[in-house]
Amino acid sequence: MTPSTDPRPAEEIRFLRASVAHQCNLSCVYCPKSSGMENHTPARLRGPGHRLTTAQYCRNLDHIADPGVLRGISFTGGEPTLNPDLPVLVAHARSRFDRVELTTNGRHLAGQIDRLAPHLDVIKVSLDAVDSALSHQIMGGRPADHEVAVAAVRMSLAAGLAVGINVVAMRRNLDQIPRIVRLARTLRRQAGAGTLYVSVLDLYYTDETRALWLDEFVPIDRIAGQLQERLGGGESQDRGGCEINWWQDDGVQIRLKSSYESTYRAQRCDRCPVYCQEGFYGLKHSVEGWVTPCPSSAEALGVHLPAGLAEHDAQARLRPLLQELTSTRRVENSFSEFLRRRGLADAHHRATIPLTPVTASERDHG
């Protein structure tokens, strides 16, 4: 399957979020660390003795890809580049999935980019501020890591990839977003190759990060209103319940992800006491072979694909999850319901946030 330089996946593609590292080399304030970030696994399966080898992980990717329900894969972690065999995993995924993406903080990308680039459609680099001190405050690590992230964007563009700069929108970095757009414009012009966009993400709620969410939550629909006023209607995509809106701004694409309007839910969601923000839109696979549709390590919410599992046994375990995924239904106003169930003050946050203009061209700043 040939990589694409289009940063927008087809609306109908369902993704597997493949965690290939359980740890991370940063400590971002918005990351739910105790729940495993995106490596959701029941406690009894955690630890070195349960982790799959690279060959075993690839075999599980085969099991998951075979039914044809999940045609996209996004490599996550922890930090995926901490896995030295990431290029092997990505190359294998290229042969089984129509769409291959990678999200990284870029700190260990330099030693892998040449082997990764031929097999990726999109690489997403996290950068939450242009100001290096604020970036360090949000993402942890070392103060110099900010420049490493910018270098990762440069080398990914030089490799001819479609590159996204991921920004989690919070009160503290809202005024950084127009600066990130201008930085992206400069990087794209300097590279003369590749495709670059800025992806503004809504702050994801977990019980672990509740205090941060209450202090920092920014309504993405307010930002979308600014962009629409400045740049016009843009282009909208329904990505499994998250509304994705795209704008073009002076050579750079801006992508906004919002889960406000609706999500897709399965029958299990009706009786779930958690009622998560994201809904049921794909599957997640951990380094231990745990497969779940839910942002949870609860034993009852997933299945285990251990090493050595026969094909027919793997499909028997996966079949109920895949059937559930294909029968999910769109639920309107699910974000309001989520806020109600979690006791979160939606009206307060929507009413009191002062917004700096989200995007501005070079000519507006001399």
Side-chain angles (χ1 to χ4, degrees):
M1 301 174 188
T2 304
S4 167
T5 57
D6 189 346
R8 311 178 204 191
E11 285 190 349
E12 68 274 11
I13 290 184
R14 296 184 178 93
F15 274 81
L16 173 69
R17 295 191 68 82
S19 174
V20 294
H22 70 284
Q23 76 278 30
C24 187
N25 51 340
L26 296 184
S27 184
C28 298
V29 295
Y30 46 74
C31 184
K33 302 166 190 65
S34 66
S35 63
M37 292 165 279
E38 293 208 60
N39 194 69
H40 303 295
T41 311
R44 68 178 178 85
L45 296 175
R46 295 173 192 163
H50 294 286
R51 291 174 198 148
L52 301 175
T53 67
T54 298
Q56 292 163 351
Y57 199 106
C58 288
R59 180 63 175 150
N60 275 7
L61 294 185
D62 292 339
H63 292 320
I64 295 168
D66 279 344
V69 176
L70 295 164
R71 292 169 39 221
I73 183 169
S74 178
F75 284 96
T76 68
E79 168 50 43
T81 60
L82 293 179
N83 186 327
D85 285 338
L86 177 63
V88 177
L89 294 163
V90 170
H92 184 80
R94 179 80 270 165
S95 68
R96 299 309 313 268
F97 293 88
D98 295 342
R99 182 85 173 180
V100 183
E101 300 184 354
L102 168 67
T103 300
T104 177
N105 59 42
R107 274 59 175 179
H108 286 270
L109 188 61
Q112 298 179 339
I113 187 64
D114 290 343
R115 291 177 292 159
L116 291 170
H119 310 295
L120 288 173
D121 294 292
V122 174
I123 186 167
K124 303 172 185 178
V125 179
S126 299
L127 182 65
D128 292 306
V130 169
D131 180 89
S132 59
L134 181 57
S135 179
H136 176 56
Q137 177 195 103
I138 294 172
M139 305 183 75
R142 304 166 303 168
D145 282 342
H146 170 267
E147 292 303 323
V148 177
V150 174
V153 174
R154 285 195 174 99
M155 70 178 72
S156 299
L157 284 170
L161 288 170
V163 185
I165 297 177
N166 277 359
V167 188
V168 177
M170 296 181 288
R171 289 176 182 246
R172 73 179 74 179
N173 71 339
L174 197 61
D175 65 346
Q176 296 286 303
I177 296 175
R179 296 178 63 185
I180 292 172
V181 172
R182 293 197 296 275
L183 172 64
R185 190 178 296 119
T186 298
L187 293 174
R188 175 65 185 86
R189 185 170 58 242
Q190 291 173 347
T195 301
L196 184 59
Y197 67 97
V198 175
S199 181
V200 183
L201 310 174
D202 46 7
L203 180 62
Y204 185 76
Y205 174 89
T206 67
D207 286 341
E208 181 181 346
T209 59
R210 182 185 180 95
L212 176 86
W213 195 95
L214 288 169
D215 288 341
E216 297 280 359
F217 173 72
V218 173
I220 291 292
D221 55 351
R222 294 274 303 280
I223 298 175
Q226 280 197 355
L227 288 170
Q228 185 167 354
E229 182 178 343
R230 176 182 171 82
L231 302 173
E235 183 178 338
S236 179
Q237 284 187 306
D238 181 352
R239 295 287 305 132
C242 288
E243 182 177 339
I244 308 295
N245 287 286
W246 294 85
W247 285 269
Q248 289 278 354
D249 182 32
D250 199 11
V252 170
Q253 296 185 72
I254 302 174
R255 172 189 185 268
L256 257 61
K257 169 183 170 290
S258 171
S259 58
Y260 292 166
E261 299 304 322
S262 68
T263 52
Y264 281 76
R265 306 272 170 176
Q267 286 188 345
R268 70 168 67 191
C269 303
D270 295 336
R271 58 184 183 273
C272 180
V274 174
Y275 200 83
C276 66
Q277 180 177 338
E278 64 187 35
F280 195 154
Y281 65 92
L283 296 180
K284 310 171 195 297
H285 181 275
S286 80
V287 298
E288 300 88 358
W290 185 255
V291 182
T292 179
C294 303
S296 165
S297 298
E299 188 86 35
L301 299 179
V303 298
H304 189 213
L305 303 184
L309 194 65
E311 174 68 22
H312 66 276
D313 291 330
Q315 294 308 326
R317 296 187 186 194
L318 288 168
R319 192 173 299 114
L321 291 182
L322 294 173
Q323 289 174 343
E324 214 178 357
L325 178 58
T326 55
S327 63
T328 54
R329 67 195 186 284
R330 184 181 177 110
V331 178
E332 304 296 338
N333 302 314
S334 60
F335 189 66
S336 297
E337 176 66 12
F338 159 77
L339 293 170
R340 184 188 70 79
R341 293 200 192 189
R342 308 308 293 176
L344 301 170
D346 178 43
H348 168 75
H349 290 293
R350 287 177 181 270
T352 62
I353 296 172
L355 291 180
T356 303
V358 170
T359 179
S361 67
E362 299 286 357
R363 60 181 174 273
D364 293 333
H365 293 266

